[in-house]
Amino acid sequence: MKRLLSLIIAISLAGLATAGKARELTGAGATFPYPLYSKWFDIYHNETGIKVNYQAIGSGGGIRQLLNKTVDFGGTDAFMSEEELTKSPENPILHFPTCIGAVVITYNLPGSPALKLTPEVISSIFLGKIRKWDHPDIKRTNPGIELPSLPIVVVHRSDGSGTTFVFSDYLSKVSPEWRDKVGRGKSLRWPVGLGAKGNPGVAALVKQIKGAIGYVELAYAEKNSLPYASIRNRAGNFIKPTLKSISLAADVPLPPDTRVSITDTKSPQGYPIASFTWIIFYKEQNYKNRSYERAKEMLQLFWWMIHQAQQYNESLLYGRLPQTAVRTAEKILKSATYRGKPILR
Amino acid sequence: MKRRTPFFLSLLIAALIVVGVLLASFFSITVSSLPALKKFGLDFFLGKQWDPPAKVFGALPFLIGTLITSFLALLFSLPFSLSISILLGEYLKKGRLASLLKSLVDLIAAVPSVIYGFWGLQVLVPWMREFEMKIGVSPYGVGILTASFILSVMIIPNTASIAREVLELVPADLKEAAYSLGATRYEVIKRVSIPYAKSGILAGVLLSLGRALGETMAVTMVIGNSNVIPRDIFSPANTMASVIANEFTEATGNLYYSSLIAIGFFLFLITAVFSILGRHIIKRSSLK
């Protein structure tokens, strides 16, 4: 027993010693991009020997851990609000986008028809105003599809989530009534419906209940072959969510800090319920005894993420950053400093 | 003191660490919940709105959801847990069937709650949906009633094992005296054993209530997670524990964070009261 114990201690000490030597960066935050990040960081580890440890604890946790300075960077699905940014007044927090995700409307109807939905219909359904599938407003945009006289059962996320944030952000833009009654957030006061945990929970309830409608991430719907709706965008076109159309949604002029919502996009072929997901980090990297090397390694990783790494996005069903977004992100990365001097040149 | 051997000291230190952890977590929960309690005061418990975007936090829907599911679960489980305890405490005291039954009942308590939730979602929810369609209410399948059924299964062993133990403690001479007066077995159980063990059984009930109040995973999976006050027992609802589990990871903003912790604080108090009350009653009844 004693020998075993000392063996365990010896092994863990050896582990500690190598961990000290190995180049390792830590991040925490959003769960949505986690599959992509873990693939990226795996490839990056093979190419450079730098290990990146990303914990998918949720965007809120990522923001908290960055503010507590326990991680090198955070990941978030919803950009930090002005109020949250004021929590670090002396050292501003920067955002840059890494990929694009989308929220799709999925449903359980006989024959799984490909529905076309307008923003008005979607908001009315989730507000509880349209309660049956054969409502004239739904019929109007779906000629040729036989809609049953089933009650609509709304299914939403019960856990706080970036998916809910993006969806409610979209509804707040297209429906003043939604904006005033419900608003946008990771958790909401839902007027109607059932809550289920995670994309799998929502998908399971929608599959079980005839006449159910819910929203899930595009990648999840695609992997599980769920039916989803085309949605009319601002230009008046019904757009099917595809990797191309969600990437096009981001192809709009961006503000310099990239903290922008791209839902209800002006892009004529863009899918209207798409969003960036971001990495967040401190502009001045000389804090809490961080070394210059560490800061530089991190910025080089970020540079790789917005360039070479983008080729892996689509195979994992994440949208690629359009060129405008890459250019803006480059500027942000170049603005990071160590003792006031830029790190990347 | 003679007892101050290194062994005794190490035991004492280990015990104090455990107590310290409990007190420290209670302290930090209290401190973190203060902003919400200060801001909303009594309205935190009486407010019907739980609206994160508007930063209005009233926990009444969860309080109601918790109480209804727990007491319904207790109601459903009592006939079964009492029957098991009387069967094992009075009729089948020894033998293979008795030990098999005992270990199976204890196994109910050992199954992780996520398994119950999973079973509930896959099996019970579709049944409930058919049932709800037949009686003509909204056929969600998930909701208060489903959560209460799952909970009632989970708390059966808590009541059953404590009630069985107190029934076994009923002195044999009391029962023999009753038999000698010509009482039947049923009369002995009804007039001697149960009255004697009454407070112990109550204690078991309180302890299982404590478990039901705090149960999180299984309930979250089948209750439907709606943050409004339920209209009836078929409605979806949310409990205090499940709203914390659902919303904590993405709770940004101090007030939101603090409000969730305040729910935790209150849940901590309620379960502590039931647990202390239960143990107190057991102690008193076993001293008798």
Side-chain angles (χ1 to χ4, degrees):
Chain A
M1 189 62 210
K2 234 181 203 171
R3 211 188 287 163
L4 185 69
L5 200 66
S6 51
L7 190 69
I8 291 170
I9 292 172
I11 290 172
S12 42
L13 283 180
L16 273 181
T18 51
K21 249 186 264 165
R23 296 176 298 168
E24 191 171 323
L25 294 165
T26 56
T31 45
F32 159 66
Y34 177 67
L36 180 64
Y37 288 178
S38 60
K39 173 156 184 175
W40 279 359
F41 297 153
D42 195 41
I43 294 169
Y44 198 69
H45 179 60
N46 288 339
E47 285 182 5
T48 64
I50 294 172
K51 205 175 161 202
V52 187
N53 176 10
Y54 181 82
Q55 290 169 353
I57 55 170
S59 302
I63 292 171
R64 269 201 295 280
Q65 292 216 3
L66 185 74
L67 287 171
N68 293 336
K69 300 187 170 139
T70 50
V71 288
D72 293 301
F73 62 89
T76 181
D77 289 338
F79 56 82
M80 290 172 71
S81 63
E82 290 298 332
E83 186 201 334
E84 286 169 327
L85 285 173
T86 57
K87 284 181 189 163
S88 176
E90 75 292 344
N91 191 354
I93 291 174
L94 300 180
H95 291 60
F96 74 92
T98 56
C99 64
I100 298 152
V103 177
V104 304
I105 312 276
T106 183
Y107 38 81
N108 180 345
L109 285 175
S112 302
L115 290 184
K116 288 181 175 171
L117 300 175
T118 63
E120 296 75 36
V121 163
I122 298 171
S123 56
S124 299
I125 289 176
F126 282 85
L127 279 166
K129 284 159 64 188
I130 294 183
R131 291 178 167 275
K132 286 237 166 159
W133 278 107
D134 56 355
H135 192 279
D137 287 359
I138 308 180
K139 276 185 171 167
R140 196 168 306 132
T141 54
N142 294 286
I145 293 173
E146 208 166 304
L147 289 159
S149 174
L150 268 176
I152 299 179
V153 177
V154 168
V155 183
H156 55 76
R157 290 282 290 269
S158 63
D159 48 333
S161 95
T163 312
T164 300
F165 182 86
V166 172
F167 186 55
S168 60
D169 177 59
Y170 170 70
L171 290 177
S172 298
K173 281 188 190 172
V174 297
S175 157
E177 187 180 353
W178 181 275
R179 193 188 58 222
D180 297 339
K181 272 193 185 161
V182 187
R184 75 192 72 188
K186 291 172 182 169
S187 298
L188 304 170
R189 195 165 65 83
W190 290 95
V192 284
L194 306 172
K197 196 165 161 55
N199 287 303
V202 171
L205 271 191
V206 170
K207 270 186 186 168
Q208 283 185 0
I209 304 176
K210 284 202 180 65
I213 188 169
Y215 60 94
V216 292
E217 280 160 16
L218 171 63
Y220 186 85
E222 193 69 48
K223 272 181 231 158
N224 295 281
S225 337
L226 304 175
Y228 44 75
S230 299
I231 296 174
R232 195 174 73 197
N233 69 7
R234 221 197 247 211
N237 302 319
F238 282 98
I239 305 290
K240 195 172 179 256
T242 60
L243 291 168
K244 182 107 179 58
S245 68
I246 67 175
S247 185
L248 280 173
D251 201 12
V252 287
L254 299 178
D257 63 0
T258 75
R259 286 170 55 236
V260 66
S261 144
I262 54 169
T263 55
D264 196 26
T265 178
K266 281 180 188 154
S267 170
Q269 293 303 319
Y271 177 73
I273 324 181
S275 171
F276 287 125
T277 181
W278 290 267
I279 292 284
I280 45 176
F281 64 106
Y282 286 105
K283 182 174 164 67
E284 170 55 53
Q285 284 291 306
N286 180 26
Y287 62 91
K288 218 181 144 195
N289 294 325
R290 285 164 68 82
S291 68
Y292 175 74
E293 283 68 36
R294 194 177 182 87
K296 193 169 179 192
E297 272 171 8
M298 186 174 86
L299 265 302
Q300 281 169 343
L301 165 74
F302 290 170
W303 191 263
W304 180 83
M305 285 163 78
I306 59 169
H307 293 104
Q308 292 92 322
Q310 292 293 316
Q311 61 179 299
Y312 305 108
N313 288 23
E314 299 199 327
S315 64
L316 287 174
L317 303 164
Y318 293 87
R320 278 177 91 134
L321 293 179
Q323 279 309 309
T324 44
V326 175
R327 295 284 102 75
T328 318
E330 282 174 353
K331 276 190 203 127
I332 292 165
L333 294 185
K334 281 181 177 163
S335 73
T337 56
Y338 192 87
R339 293 205 178 118
K341 291 203 181 91
I343 301 169
L344 293 175
R345 284 184 194 97
Chain B
M1 274 223 305
K2 262 184 206 168
R3 281 185 298 178
R4 278 212 179 139
T5 60
F7 182 59
F8 169 74
L9 283 178
S10 60
L11 295 181
L12 186 67
I13 289 170
L16 287 180
I17 287 176
V18 173
V19 175
V21 168
L22 178 73
L23 291 179
S25 63
F26 185 68
F27 178 74
S28 59
I29 288 174
T30 314
V31 170
S32 310
S33 62
L34 281 181
L37 295 178
K38 257 186 214 154
K39 162 103 199 217
F40 299 112
L42 207 58
D43 276 350
F44 186 74
F45 303 110
L46 300 178
K48 292 177 197 166
Q49 305 267 5
W50 181 266
D51 191 343
K55 299 205 168 97
V56 175
F57 300 100
L60 189 65
F62 314 127
L63 205 63
I64 292 178
T66 306
L67 291 178
I68 297 182
T69 47
S70 301
F71 279 98
L72 269 184
L74 206 58
L75 200 70
F76 297 148
S77 75
L78 269 183
F80 297 96
S81 52
L82 290 184
S83 307
I84 290 172
S85 61
I86 293 170
L87 184 71
L88 289 175
E90 292 287 338
Y91 288 90
L92 291 172
K93 286 190 178 173
K94 285 191 201 93
R96 229 182 264 167
L97 183 62
S99 61
L100 183 73
L101 259 178
K102 253 184 233 173
S103 44
L104 282 182
V105 171
D106 288 341
L107 192 66
I108 295 178
V111 175
S113 61
V114 65
I115 309 273
Y116 286 107
F118 197 65
W119 177 78
L121 205 57
Q122 295 296 324
V123 182
L124 190 61
V125 167
W127 286 351
M128 285 298 293
R129 197 170 291 131
E130 272 173 36
F131 172 68
E132 285 168 351
M133 267 192 252
K134 266 180 202 145
I135 62 168
V137 293
S138 307
Y140 296 139
V142 292
I144 289 183
L145 192 63
T146 316
S148 306
F149 277 137
I150 293 280
L151 265 181
S152 68
V153 176
M154 297 175 72
I155 62 175
I156 281 176
N158 297 50
T159 315
S161 62
I162 291 173
R164 192 197 76 224
E165 275 165 33
V166 291
L167 280 175
E168 280 172 352
L169 287 177
V170 177
D173 40 2
L174 269 186
K175 286 199 253 178
E176 276 156 20
Y179 282 126
S180 68
L181 291 174
T184 61
R185 196 159 198 183
Y186 172 72
E187 283 166 340
V188 171
I189 292 170
K190 195 179 154 200
R191 310 216 165 193
V192 179
S193 297
I194 290 180
Y196 188 89
K198 203 171 50 191
S199 54
I201 294 171
L202 181 68
V205 170
L206 286 177
L207 287 178
S208 50
L209 191 61
R211 162 119 207 242
L213 289 168
E215 176 49 44
T216 311
M217 197 62 216
V219 172
T220 310
M221 289 168 84
V222 297
I223 197 166
N225 301 296
S226 163
N227 293 356
V228 292
I229 293 178
R231 259 174 302 139
D232 51 49
I233 57 170
F234 300 104
S235 304
N238 229 338
T239 66
M240 297 163 87
S242 61
V243 72
I244 297 173
N246 270 323
E247 299 190 4
F248 196 71
T249 46
E250 294 288 347
T252 41
N254 282 340
L255 196 61
Y256 190 9
Y257 187 75
S258 169
S259 299
L260 285 172
I261 294 183
I263 293 181
F265 170 74
F266 203 54
L267 189 59
F268 192 117
L269 282 186
I270 297 178
T271 43
V273 165
F274 279 110
S275 159
I276 291 170
L277 209 64
R279 282 182 206 289
H280 180 73
I281 294 174
I282 291 183
K283 217 167 81 187
R284 225 184 41 193
S285 66
S286 57
L287 281 178
K288 228 175 1 188

